[in-house]
Amino acid sequence: MQFTFAHYNYNVLDLEKSLAFYKEALGLEEVRRKEAEDGSFIIVFLGDGKTGFKLELTWLRDWERPYNLGDNEVHLAFQVEDFAAAHAKHQEMGCICFENKAMGIYFINDPDGYWLEIVPMK
């Protein structure tokens, strides 16, 4: 029996704001959407156009408070070929929340406070 990665989920408060962030910051595009008939939720899957991995953003109509992200030790990581250009873009966007220069990595946070690790392509 073989298991493969399919997707990872983040719940978001403002779906349109999150979609705009992920497009601008990481170039992710919507690949699929599911909307509840009663309007109670919208699920949007984002892809990078290269891998089959998807980021699932879930919006819940009746959820009104920020999500409890704990200590933010759980994160999703992205590789990038031009690390310096990515860093400059994210610095301009004001979304860098932590840098570890010794390790050569940094983190950005999305509109809901989720941390996303940015690492150079090996």
Side-chain angles (χ1 to χ4, degrees), residues 7 9-16 19 30 32-45 56-63 67:
H7 67 266
N9 176 75
Y10 284 153
N11 284 21
V12 299
L13 286 176
D14 184 331
L15 183 58
E16 294 310 314
L19 290 172
E30 182 174 331
R32 193 170 84 217
R33 179 181 287 242
K34 179 175 175 64
E35 298 187 32
E37 288 184 24
D38 65 359
S40 61
F41 70 84
I42 300 172
I43 297 172
V44 177
F45 291 90
E56 173 187 350
L57 300 181
T58 301
W59 172 83
L60 302 171
R61 177 189 61 208
D62 297 330
W63 193 271
Y67 287 95

Side-chain angles (χ1 to χ4, degrees), residues 1 20 38 42 66 73 110 121:
M1 184 177 330
D38 65 359
I42 300 172
E73 289 297 321
D110 82 351
M121 192 79 67

Side-chain angles (χ1 to χ4, degrees), residues 77-98:
F78 290 83
Q79 297 181 83
V80 63
E81 288 181 15
D82 192 340
F83 187 81
H87 186 276
K89 176 185 188 76
H90 294 143
Q91 194 165 33
E92 182 180 309
M93 290 176 66
C95 61
I96 295 176
C97 57
F98 180 77

